[in-house]
Amino acid sequence: EHTDHYNPKSPLFNERQFWPVVISDVGVAFTFIGLAYWTYQTSFTNVLCIYGVPLLIVNFWLLLYTYLHHTDPAIPHYSDDSWNWLQGALTTIDRDYGIFWNTLHHDIGNTHVLHHLFSHIPHYHAKEASEAIKPILGEYYYHNPKSIISCLWEA
């Protein structure tokens, strides 16, 4: 069956999510209308420089960040018949991005394994909780201390 992130009746969503998807769709439509009006009032170049380029930079960074947390030679891959939720949650890796990036991203990079298991723990308790689960996870805890560039090259 066809899935669609904009269709509230898509199999991706349950009945309870119908109106939140509709509201999100309206927000997307208003964003496009606003961008079109802004372009009409100023110029395409203006909108591209002020909105488009920063959007591309942020999306590149988030994509890179997500890719590096879910792609690593140490992380196992499971077939459809052997995969379960816990294995999926544990197929991620903690990466230390340095104090600046860790702080900017509320330590989601260096506590990513914890985030997959307990996503409701607030970021200000994530480091403490992450340290607490490491001995419990043992060999199922993955961490890669290498730089972003070398990790990207290996992935």
Side-chain angles (χ1 to χ4, degrees), residues 70-118:
H70 301 97
T71 309
D72 190 89
I75 296 175
H77 295 272
Y78 300 100
S79 62
D80 288 344
D81 56 335
S82 68
W83 183 91
N84 62 46
W85 178 88
L86 183 57
Q87 287 174 323
L90 291 172
T91 54
T92 188
I93 193 159
D94 280 352
R95 296 188 187 281
D96 188 352
Y97 293 99
I99 189 143
F100 176 77
W101 292 112
N102 287 344
T103 302
L104 184 69
H105 292 284
H106 300 291
D107 293 303
I108 194 67
N110 53 332
T111 62
H112 204 74
V113 174
L114 172 82
H115 166 73
H116 270 240
L117 294 170
F118 307 102

Side-chain angles (χ1 to χ4, degrees), residues 6-20:
Y6 298 101
N7 180 357
K9 293 187 177 184
S10 170
L12 293 171
F13 308 113
N14 60 39
E15 290 178 19
R16 201 180 46 155
Q17 295 170 314
F18 180 88
W19 287 110

Side-chain angles (χ1 to χ4, degrees), residues 124-144:
Y124 46 86
H125 289 303
K127 288 198 278 189
E128 175 188 359
S130 191
E131 290 302 318
I133 68 164
K134 286 177 187 179
I136 297 166
L137 293 177
E139 67 179 287
Y140 298 104
Y141 172 77
Y142 298 101
H143 175 262
N144 191 331

Side-chain angles (χ1 to χ4, degrees), residues 61-73 75 91-95 97 109 112 144 146-155:
W61 177 250
L62 290 174
L63 180 68
L64 174 68
Y65 213 76
T66 304
Y67 178 75
L68 289 177
H69 281 289
H70 301 97
T71 309
D72 190 89
I75 296 175
T91 54
T92 188
I93 193 159
D94 280 352
R95 296 188 187 281
Y97 293 99
H112 204 74
N144 191 331
K146 295 180 182 174
S147 73
I148 295 173
I149 300 298
S150 57
C151 290
L152 187 59
W153 180 260
E154 291 174 359

